Amino acid sequence: MDREFMTDFYENYYEDPIYLATKNDKKYDKNNRKLIRIQDEVLQMIGGSKTPAGEKFKDCMELTIKLSEYIGLDSYLQGAADREKMLR
């Protein structure tokens, strides 16, 4: 498998690959709604997103999103590699 080609394809072909992969997943949707509710509660508890703690919380959430994007790409690449193996 040409990892560079598949990475480029993934990054340029799919506008929102995480949404595409999870849009019909009821478990994902339920847990994502729960996460958003908890995030809102935590932000309220620490005084909002403009406080130093709120800024750190936002940074953590942005990193969490970035990590999920990496997991999406890595899962896609693993699937492509597995498909190639199966076709041999």
Side-chain angles (χ1 to χ4, degrees):
M1 175 190 73
D2 184 340
R3 187 175 179 86
E4 185 177 333
F5 171 80
M6 293 305 291
T7 299
D8 187 55
F9 181 82
Y10 178 87
E11 291 174 345
N12 293 303
Y13 182 77
Y14 298 109
E15 186 174 325
D16 188 350
I18 302 300
Y19 170 75
L20 184 64
T22 61
K23 68 181 178 181
N24 296 316
D25 187 332
K26 292 181 190 312
K27 290 179 189 177
Y28 178 88
D29 186 54
K30 178 183 174 185
N31 284 294
N32 191 50
R33 282 186 277 116
K34 184 177 180 179
L35 175 63
I36 291 168
R37 188 179 69 248
I38 292 169
Q39 289 171 345
D40 289 344
E41 290 171 6
V42 170
L43 275 175
Q44 240 179 8
M45 291 168 67
I46 61 177
S49 62
K50 302 289 185 205
T51 65
E55 290 293 327
K56 286 291 182 189
F57 181 76
K58 263 179 32 181
D59 292 344
C60 286
M61 294 316 304
E62 288 172 5
L63 285 170
T64 300
I65 291 167
K66 184 56 77 181
L67 290 172
S68 72
E69 291 170 355
Y70 295 148
I71 291 168
L73 173 59
D74 290 339
S75 297
Y76 176 81
L77 293 172
Q78 184 62 52
D82 290 346
R83 180 182 185 280
E84 192 171 283
K85 288 177 192 172
M86 289 174 16
L87 292 175
R88 286 186 208 157

Short mmCIF file of all heavy atoms in Angstrom, two decimals, residues 50 55 57 68 70 76 84:
data_model
loop_
_atom_site.label_atom_id
_atom_site.label_comp_id
_atom_site.label_asym_id
_atom_site.label_seq_id
_atom_site.Cartn_x
_atom_site.Cartn_y
_atom_site.Cartn_z
N LYS A 50 -13.40 31.94 29.22
CA LYS A 50 -12.47 33.08 29.24
C LYS A 50 -11.53 33.06 30.44
O LYS A 50 -10.60 33.85 30.51
CB LYS A 50 -13.26 34.40 29.24
CG LYS A 50 -14.19 34.57 28.06
CD LYS A 50 -13.44 34.80 26.79
CE LYS A 50 -14.43 35.08 25.67
NZ LYS A 50 -13.92 34.75 24.37
N GLU A 55 -9.57 28.33 29.40
CA GLU A 55 -8.65 28.30 28.25
C GLU A 55 -7.93 26.95 28.17
O GLU A 55 -7.79 26.37 27.10
CB GLU A 55 -7.65 29.44 28.34
CG GLU A 55 -8.24 30.81 28.11
CD GLU A 55 -8.74 31.03 26.69
OE1 GLU A 55 -8.14 30.47 25.74
OE2 GLU A 55 -9.75 31.74 26.53
N PHE A 57 -9.03 24.15 29.42
CA PHE A 57 -10.04 23.16 29.07
C PHE A 57 -10.27 23.16 27.56
O PHE A 57 -10.34 22.11 26.92
CB PHE A 57 -11.35 23.46 29.81
CG PHE A 57 -12.44 22.48 29.52
CD1 PHE A 57 -12.43 21.22 30.08
CD2 PHE A 57 -13.49 22.82 28.68
CE1 PHE A 57 -13.44 20.30 29.81
CE2 PHE A 57 -14.50 21.93 28.41
CZ PHE A 57 -14.47 20.66 28.98
N SER A 68 -8.65 12.48 17.74
CA SER A 68 -9.68 11.68 17.07
C SER A 68 -9.49 11.71 15.56
O SER A 68 -9.75 10.73 14.87
CB SER A 68 -11.09 12.12 17.46
OG SER A 68 -11.43 13.36 16.89
N TYR A 70 -6.54 11.92 14.10
CA TYR A 70 -5.42 10.99 13.86
C TYR A 70 -5.91 9.54 13.90
O TYR A 70 -5.50 8.72 13.07
CB TYR A 70 -4.31 11.17 14.90
CG TYR A 70 -3.60 12.50 14.86
CD1 TYR A 70 -3.10 13.06 16.02
CD2 TYR A 70 -3.43 13.21 13.67
CE1 TYR A 70 -2.44 14.28 16.01
CE2 TYR A 70 -2.77 14.42 13.66
CZ TYR A 70 -2.28 14.96 14.82
OH TYR A 70 -1.63 16.17 14.81
N TYR A 76 -8.34 4.34 8.88
CA TYR A 76 -8.52 4.28 7.44
C TYR A 76 -7.32 3.59 6.78
O TYR A 76 -7.48 2.69 5.95
CB TYR A 76 -8.70 5.69 6.89
CG TYR A 76 -8.80 5.78 5.40
CD1 TYR A 76 -10.00 5.51 4.75
CD2 TYR A 76 -7.71 6.13 4.61
CE1 TYR A 76 -10.11 5.59 3.38
CE2 TYR A 76 -7.80 6.22 3.24
CZ TYR A 76 -9.01 5.94 2.62
OH TYR A 76 -9.10 6.02 1.26
N GLU A 84 -5.67 -4.69 1.24
CA GLU A 84 -4.61 -5.12 0.33
C GLU A 84 -4.12 -6.52 0.64
O GLU A 84 -3.92 -7.34 -0.26
CB GLU A 84 -3.47 -4.11 0.38
CG GLU A 84 -2.45 -4.30 -0.72
CD GLU A 84 -1.46 -3.18 -0.76
OE1 GLU A 84 -1.81 -2.08 -1.28
OE2 GLU A 84 -0.34 -3.38 -0.27
#
